[in-house]
Amino acid sequence: MKKSTRVLSVILAAVMLVTAFAFTSCADKNYAANNTTIKIGVSGPLTGDYASYGMAVSNCAKLAIEEINAAGGLNGIMFELIDTNDEADSAKVSATYSDMYQKGMQISLGTVTTGAGIEFKALAEEDNVFYLTPSATGDAIPNGTNGFQMCFTDSNQGTASAEYFNRNFVGKKIGILYQADNDYSVGITNNFKKSIDESFKAGMVETSFTGKPTSYDSQVESLKDCDVVFLPIYTSEAAVFMRAATSKMKGDAIFFGCDGLDGIDTAVEGFDINTIKQEVSYLSHFNSKATEGPAAELIAKYNEKFDESKFPINQFGASAYDCVYAIYEALKVAVADGKTITATMSPSEFCDILSEVFKKDDFSVRGVTGECIGNEKSTISWNDDGTVSKNAIKYVVKEATA
Amino acid sequence: METFFSTLINGLSLGGIYAMIALGYTMVYGIAKMLNFAHGDIIMVGGYTIFLFLFVNPIVAIVMAVIFCVIFGILIEKLAYKPLRGSSPLAVLITAIGVSYLLQSFAQIIFGSATKFVEIATFENKLQLGPLVIDIPTVITLICSAAVMVALSVFVKYSKTGRAMIAVSEDKGAAQLMGINVNTIIMITFAIGSALAALAGVFTLLKSPAITPTFGAMPGIKAFTAAVIGGIGSIPGAMVGGLMLGIIETFSNSVPALSPYTDAVEFSILIVVLLVKPTGLLGKKRREKV
C-alpha cells in the first residue's frame, strides 16, 4: 500500500467516525426545546390508494386537538398536530419520522398502516418516542413500553369476537368456517375457541377448507342449520362461500367476520353483496353508519368541518380521535400525580411519563370507538403488552333481506 | 341419513368434475405417453374465457370457452410437445410444467392476480327429492358429467377415430403401419381433453364462482391423482378414480376433525393404492420387454 493511500484511508475513516457521531448526537438533541405547544406527530398515507385512511386519521386528530385546545388545553398548554405523508410505504417512514422529529414532535400516533408501523417502531424504540397507533393492527406493533395500540391486534380479534358472541348471541347455534392453511384464520379461530362460553360449545359446528376449494358443498352442508357463522377468512373466499350458502341457510342467519371481511361489498370484482340474503357483518370498533350515540356525534362534527364526499370518516379516523384524547387524559393523570409538564420537554421525557400512565392497571379513558351503550362512551384500557382492551362492535355491511 | 345422501350426491358431482379433468390426463397419457401438466391450466383458460364473454350470454360464453380451450390445447401440443416427440420423457415433463407456469403467468399479466367473481347463472330453485334438497348446479354437473362419460366411452369404442385412438395407444408404430395418422390422432386427443377441461371449468364455476390465475392448479392435481388411482391410460379408470376422489373429499370435508387434512387424506389414498396395486385400480399390467 502506498503511503498516500494509507493517509487517505485514515482520513476517510476519521470522516466516517465523525459522521457516525454526528448522527447519534441527533437523537440526543432536544428539537422540542423551542416548542410553544405540545406537538403530536403522525405518519400516514395522505395520498395514493390508502389516502382515505390517512386523511381520516389526520382530520380526526386535528378535530380532537381543536376541541382540546378550545377547552383550554392542558392547563393552558396547547397541542398541535404534525402530519406527514408516507403513502403507506415503509421505505418512506425513516424520512417522515426524521421530518417530524426535527420539527419538534414530542408524542406520536405512530403510523396508520402496519407495514410502515414496523419501521416506525424500530426508530421510535431507539429514540424512546411514545406512540399510540390508531390503526396499525399488526401483532408486532405494540410493545408495552413505548408502543401502544388503539385498534385490535390481528390475533386479538378472535378473543374480541368471542366476547362479542358471549354478550350478544346467547342461545344461538354458532358455526365456524376457517381456512386451515392460513395463519391469520387459524390464529383467530384458536383464540375464538379459547374465549367462547361453554354454553355455545355443545352445538358449535366447526369446519374448514384449504386453499381455494373447488366446492364448498360439504362446508355448507355442515353449517346450514347455524344461526351465526363466524368467518375469520378473507373477502374472496367469503364471497364464494356465502354465495354457495345463502340459499341453504336460514334467512335470519348472520355471517360474522373479522377485519378480513372489510371491503366485502366492494373488493371482489363481480360480486354483488345483495345476492346474499342473510346479514353480513364484521367485527369492528367503530360504526361509521351510526345514527345515534357518541359515534354519530363525531360523524356530525366531522362532516361539518371536512368534506365527507372526498374523505369520509371511517374506523381509522375515529380511532385517531380517541388516540388524541387518550394521550390528553394520560397527561392529565400525570399532572394529577404531581408531574410537571411543559411544552419544551423532550420526546423521551414525554415517553417515560406517558408509558408509566398507560401501564397503570386503573388507567382507562372513554372513547367513541368500542361499544358505546346509548349515549355513554365506551371504556378503553390497555394490557401490559400495549394492546387495547375494549368491547368490539358488530359493523353491519348488509342487513338481511326479507 | 339425509346428510349422508346429500354428501354422497355432492361428492358424486365433485367427482364428476374430477373425472372429466382426469379423462384429459389419462387419454393424453394413453396416446401420447406423456403427462400433460398444463392440462389443469386449460381449465383456467376456459374460466377466463367465460369471464370475458359472459356479458353476451352464458351459453355463448360456454361455447366460446370450449372453442378457446380446444384451440389452446392444439396449439400447446403443436408448439411445445410435438417438437419433443421422441425425446426423453423427462424433457417433455419439464416442458409441460413450463407451459403450465407460462399460462398462469400470462393470465396474471392480463387479468391480474385478484379474484374475479364469475357467476355464470343463478339458480334460486332447488330440486326436492323426498327429504333431500339438491342444488341445481349439482344436478346439472351430475347429469352432464355422466352424459359426457357415456358419450366418450361410446365414441372411443365404436367410432373410427376412437378405435384409431385405441390402436395408437396400444402400439404407435403398428398403428402407423396400418395407415393411421398418428399426429392427427394425438391432436384430436388434445382437442377432446381440452374441451372436457373447459366443461370442467364451467361446472367448477357453477359450484364456486371465483377465478384466479391458479384456478385450475388444484383441480388439475386432484384429477391427476384420480387418473393415477384409477390407472393412468385407462378411460374407465379415470372415471372411477375421479368419482372416488370426489366422494372421499366431500366426506372428509364433512367431518370437522378431518376437514383441515382433506388434501392429505386424498393423497394418502393415492399412496395406498399405488402400494397395493401399482398400476392403479383398473390399469393394465404392461410387461416391459428388455
Side-chain angles (χ1 to χ4, degrees):
Chain A
M1 204 189 263
K2 268 195 259 168
K3 203 179 174 191
S4 57
T5 23
R6 196 178 297 166
V7 170
L8 200 66
S9 60
V10 168
I11 292 172
L12 272 175
V15 168
M16 277 185 219
L17 208 63
V18 168
T19 12
F21 274 117
F23 276 118
T24 44
S25 66
C26 262
D28 297 335
K29 185 178 168 194
N30 181 9
Y31 285 97
N34 299 321
N35 279 8
T36 51
T37 54
I38 297 176
K39 293 191 176 175
I40 301 179
V42 62
S43 172
L46 303 180
T47 57
D49 283 351
Y50 306 103
S52 62
Y53 304 164
M55 285 307 293
V57 164
S58 164
N59 287 345
C60 284
K62 278 181 196 147
L63 187 65
I65 286 176
E66 243 169 58
E67 286 174 15
I68 292 170
N69 288 346
L74 184 77
N75 302 328
I77 310 174
M78 298 292 149
F79 290 84
E80 191 183 333
L81 184 77
I82 310 175
D83 54 347
T84 49
N85 183 9
D86 61 25
E87 296 173 37
D89 178 358
S90 53
K92 295 209 165 70
V93 172
S94 64
T96 58
Y97 178 87
S98 352
D99 185 25
M100 292 191 289
Y101 199 86
Q102 287 169 16
K103 279 181 181 160
M105 164 178 79
Q106 290 148 305
I107 305 169
S108 169
L109 301 185
T111 63
V112 173
T113 54
T114 295
I118 289 174
E119 286 296 313
F120 193 95
K121 182 190 181 187
L123 297 164
E125 273 176 348
E126 201 174 307
D127 293 339
N128 197 28
V129 173
F130 180 89
Y131 63 95
L132 172 64
T133 173
S135 54
T137 56
D139 286 8
I141 300 293
N143 59 14
T145 53
N146 67 325
F148 293 80
Q149 261 171 337
M150 180 56 87
C151 49
F152 294 112
T153 309
D154 284 343
S155 62
N156 277 359
Q157 294 188 64
T159 316
S161 300
E163 282 164 0
Y164 184 86
F165 276 54
N166 294 342
R167 292 196 304 275
N168 296 286
F169 296 138
V170 178
K172 303 232 175 185
K173 184 177 169 64
I174 59 176
I176 308 173
L177 176 69
Y178 68 98
Q179 184 172 354
D181 56 354
N182 178 288
D183 289 342
Y184 163 84
S185 190
V186 174
I188 290 179
T189 305
N190 289 341
N191 284 333
F192 180 86
K193 286 196 292 189
K194 254 182 247 161
S195 307
I196 194 87
D197 275 349
E198 284 299 321
S199 62
F200 286 108
K201 284 188 177 161
M204 193 159 83
V205 183
E206 187 191 330
T207 182
S208 65
F209 63 92
T210 50
K212 290 191 185 296
T214 311
S215 147
Y216 285 94
D217 287 342
S218 342
Q219 287 86 350
V220 172
E221 195 66 37
S222 312
L223 294 166
K224 65 180 180 189
D225 298 323
C226 293
D227 301 307
V228 188
V229 179
F230 182 50
L231 297 174
I233 53 178
Y234 292 119
T235 48
S236 57
E237 287 80 8
V240 179
F241 165 74
M242 291 194 297
R243 194 67 195 95
T246 185
S247 63
K248 287 208 165 174
M249 309 245 337
K250 289 180 222 168
D252 59 355
I254 298 172
F255 293 118
F256 189 101
C258 289
D259 66 350
L261 289 203
D262 199 336
I264 181 80
D265 46 345
T266 49
V268 186
E269 188 181 338
F271 172 65
D272 175 10
I273 191 137
N274 292 315
T275 57
I276 309 298
K277 287 185 286 190
Q278 289 79 3
E279 177 185 316
V280 182
S281 305
Y282 61 83
L283 180 91
S284 182
H285 56 160
F286 182 70
N287 179 3
S288 53
K289 292 181 195 158
T291 51
E292 56 187 12
E297 273 174 44
L298 174 65
I299 296 169
K301 279 189 276 188
Y302 183 95
N303 292 351
E304 198 181 305
K305 194 166 156 53
F306 303 103
D307 180 6
E308 80 264 28
S309 64
K310 216 169 161 197
F311 294 112
I313 192 167
N314 50 31
Q315 54 169 311
F316 298 80
S319 187
Y321 182 84
D322 277 354
C323 284
V324 172
Y325 268 101
I327 289 169
Y328 172 65
E329 293 296 331
L331 291 174
K332 280 209 299 197
V333 170
V335 170
D337 285 350
K339 298 256 170 22
T340 333
I341 288 171
T342 64
T344 53
M345 271 159 49
S346 74
S348 182
E349 287 170 284
F350 267 107
C351 186
D352 294 340
I353 290 172
L354 282 170
S355 57
E356 193 188 319
V357 177
F358 272 80
K359 276 194 276 193
K360 281 188 179 183
D361 286 338
D362 60 345
F363 177 66
S364 73
V365 296
R366 314 302 301 272
V368 296
T369 61
E371 188 183 39
C372 305
I373 296 162
N375 287 322
E376 283 281 300
K377 285 189 167 183
S378 66
T379 306
I380 305 168
S381 60
W382 282 267
N383 304 318
D384 289 342
D385 57 0
T387 56
V388 73
S389 169
K390 60 186 172 186
N391 286 341
I393 65 152
K394 183 179 75 167
Y395 178 73
V396 181
V397 187
K398 184 203 148 282
E399 306 265 359
T401 8
Chain B
M1 210 56 196
E2 274 169 57
T3 320
F4 175 80
F5 277 111
S6 52
T7 309
L8 184 67
I9 289 172
N10 288 333
L12 282 172
S13 79
L14 181 63
I17 295 178
Y18 286 160
M20 257 189 271
I21 310 168
L23 282 170
Y25 274 108
T26 219
M27 284 170 68
V28 166
Y29 181 83
I31 288 156
K33 296 285 176 289
M34 65 161 288
L35 290 172
N36 179 17
F37 273 115
H39 189 62
D41 299 291
I42 296 288
I43 308 171
M44 176 270 296
V45 171
Y48 277 113
T49 315
I50 289 173
F51 168 74
L52 287 179
F53 287 96
L54 199 57
F55 74 97
V56 188
N57 144 344
I59 303 293
V60 174
I62 293 173
V63 172
M64 288 310 284
V66 173
I67 295 173
F68 255 73
C69 286
V70 167
I71 294 174
F72 261 80
I74 293 175
L75 272 182
I76 290 169
E77 198 271 322
K78 288 268 175 264
L79 298 177
Y81 303 149
K82 200 178 164 202
L84 290 174
R85 212 165 285 157
S87 55
S88 84
L90 199 62
V92 185
L93 188 73
I94 299 292
T95 310
I97 294 172
V99 171
S100 164
Y101 279 112
L102 187 76
L103 289 178
Q104 287 180 17
S105 309
F106 265 126
Q108 193 168 350
I109 291 167
I110 299 171
F111 298 101
S113 58
T115 305
K116 291 187 166 43
F117 208 78
V118 184
E119 211 154 26
I120 301 179
T122 47
F123 303 93
E124 293 306 331
N125 297 330
K126 303 230 170 304
L127 189 70
Q128 187 93 33
L129 273 181
L132 278 185
V133 185
I134 311 167
D135 276 336
I136 301 292
T138 307
V139 179
I140 296 177
T141 309
L142 263 178
I143 295 174
C144 290
S145 53
V148 163
M149 285 185 243
V150 170
L152 193 72
S153 305
V154 170
F155 171 79
V156 171
K157 216 161 190 179
Y158 299 107
S159 78
K160 205 175 162 193
T161 322
R163 279 189 291 187
M165 286 163 105
I166 297 180
V168 173
S169 82
E170 299 261 312
D171 190 331
K172 207 192 270 177
Q176 208 156 13
L177 287 176
M178 299 308 290
I180 293 172
N181 186 339
V182 173
N183 281 337
T184 316
I185 294 299
I186 291 180
M187 191 186 85
I188 290 173
T189 310
F190 269 87
I192 293 175
S194 303
L196 291 177
L199 288 178
V202 171
F203 297 132
T204 310
L205 283 179
L206 282 178
K207 275 187 179 295
S208 81
I211 181 161
T212 58
T214 52
F215 174 65
M218 204 55 189
I221 291 176
K222 294 267 176 77
F224 173 64
T225 309
V228 175
I229 288 178
I232 193 142
S234 151
I235 290 175
M239 295 175 188
V240 171
L243 292 176
M244 202 176 118
L245 208 66
I247 293 170
I248 290 168
E249 178 170 332
T250 319
F251 274 99
S252 167
N253 269 333
S254 66
V255 181
L258 218 54
S259 69
Y261 310 107
T262 299
D263 291 347
V265 169
E266 286 170 85
F267 295 123
S268 326
I269 285 175
L270 171 72
I271 296 173
V272 171
V273 168
L274 286 182
L275 283 176
V276 177
K277 217 167 174 299
T279 49
L281 294 175
L282 301 179
K284 271 184 232 139
K285 215 173 188 174
R286 276 173 207 274
R287 215 168 278 154
E288 293 284 330
K289 281 180 196 151
V290 186

